[in-house]
Amino acid sequence: MGKPQSDFSLIKDVLDEYGDVEGSLITILQKAQEVYGYLPKDVIYHVAERIGSTPAEVMGVATFYSQFRLTPIGKYLIMSCQGTACHVNGSERVSEAVSEYLGIENGETTEDGLFTLENVACLGCCSLAPVIMINGEAHGNLTPDKAIAVLKDIQAKEGC
């Protein structure tokens, strides 16, 4: 038997509201990603059919914009700021330490599904540089060791 299909009823209201509105594909995809955590392939096909587009056109938009994810993310999304203030204060060393500690690269998720690492252009927390944000919570003034300590605290909380 094939992979279970996504529950399209979860985005029915979004498609009812925006499906016939010209230029609303990005909004639809944003809202779908909020619902599913990423954009499953069957959701892309469903959205395309509902808005009268092709799956290739919808996929083109989803792959063009870095905000969209086509694979599931971990329970904890680590966004590592690579903006100018963070960069000059050592964000590359912090990101490398996180990557090495977790055994994943930018855009990847740990095998246990706990963490996803994503390098981002700017988090807007320049006074805290270098900073990572984990599920919306900023952790600033980091060193590689401080970043690892944050991850270890999460792992301890999760019983890992």
Side-chain angles (χ1 to χ4, degrees):
M1 185 164 269
K3 182 181 167 200
Q5 190 172 20
S6 299
D7 182 356
F8 300 139
S9 70
L10 298 175
I11 58 170
K12 181 186 181 319
D13 291 345
V14 171
L15 289 170
D16 287 349
E17 183 175 350
Y18 296 101
D20 297 324
V21 178
E22 186 74 29
S24 64
L25 178 57
I26 291 173
T27 300
I28 292 168
L29 293 177
Q30 287 170 329
K31 292 184 180 295
Q33 184 166 278
E34 285 174 24
V35 169
Y36 301 105
Y38 72 109
L39 296 172
K41 185 190 277 188
D42 62 344
V43 169
I44 299 238
Y45 276 78
H46 181 72
V47 167
E49 182 180 322
R50 177 59 178 78
I51 67 170
S53 186
T54 66
E57 288 172 325
V58 175
M59 184 64 87
V61 170
T63 57
F64 180 80
Y65 294 101
S66 62
Q67 68 180 296
F68 296 120
R69 294 180 294 275
L70 300 176
T71 56
I73 60 169
K75 182 175 182 180
Y76 295 92
L77 175 61
I78 304 165
M79 292 190 293
S80 181
C81 186
Q82 302 303 313
T84 303
C86 286
H87 178 75
V88 299
N89 284 293
S91 65
E92 190 172 325
R93 288 189 344 269
V94 170
S95 189
E96 286 172 358
V98 169
S99 178
E100 186 176 311
Y101 177 74
L102 295 175
I104 58 174
E105 297 295 324
N106 179 41
E108 294 180 342
T109 300
T110 55
E111 284 188 24
D112 62 5
L114 200 56
F115 295 103
T116 297
L117 175 61
E118 194 171 284
N119 290 328
V120 298
C122 183
L123 291 170
C125 303
C126 302
S127 64
L128 300 175
V131 65
I132 60 174
M133 190 170 286
I134 302 176
N135 291 358
E137 183 180 342
H139 302 271
N141 301 309
L142 294 175
T143 63
D145 289 341
K146 286 180 183 177
I148 300 305
V150 169
L151 300 177
K152 286 181 177 180
D153 286 347
I154 292 170
Q155 288 173 317
K157 185 178 91 175
E158 291 291 329
C160 298

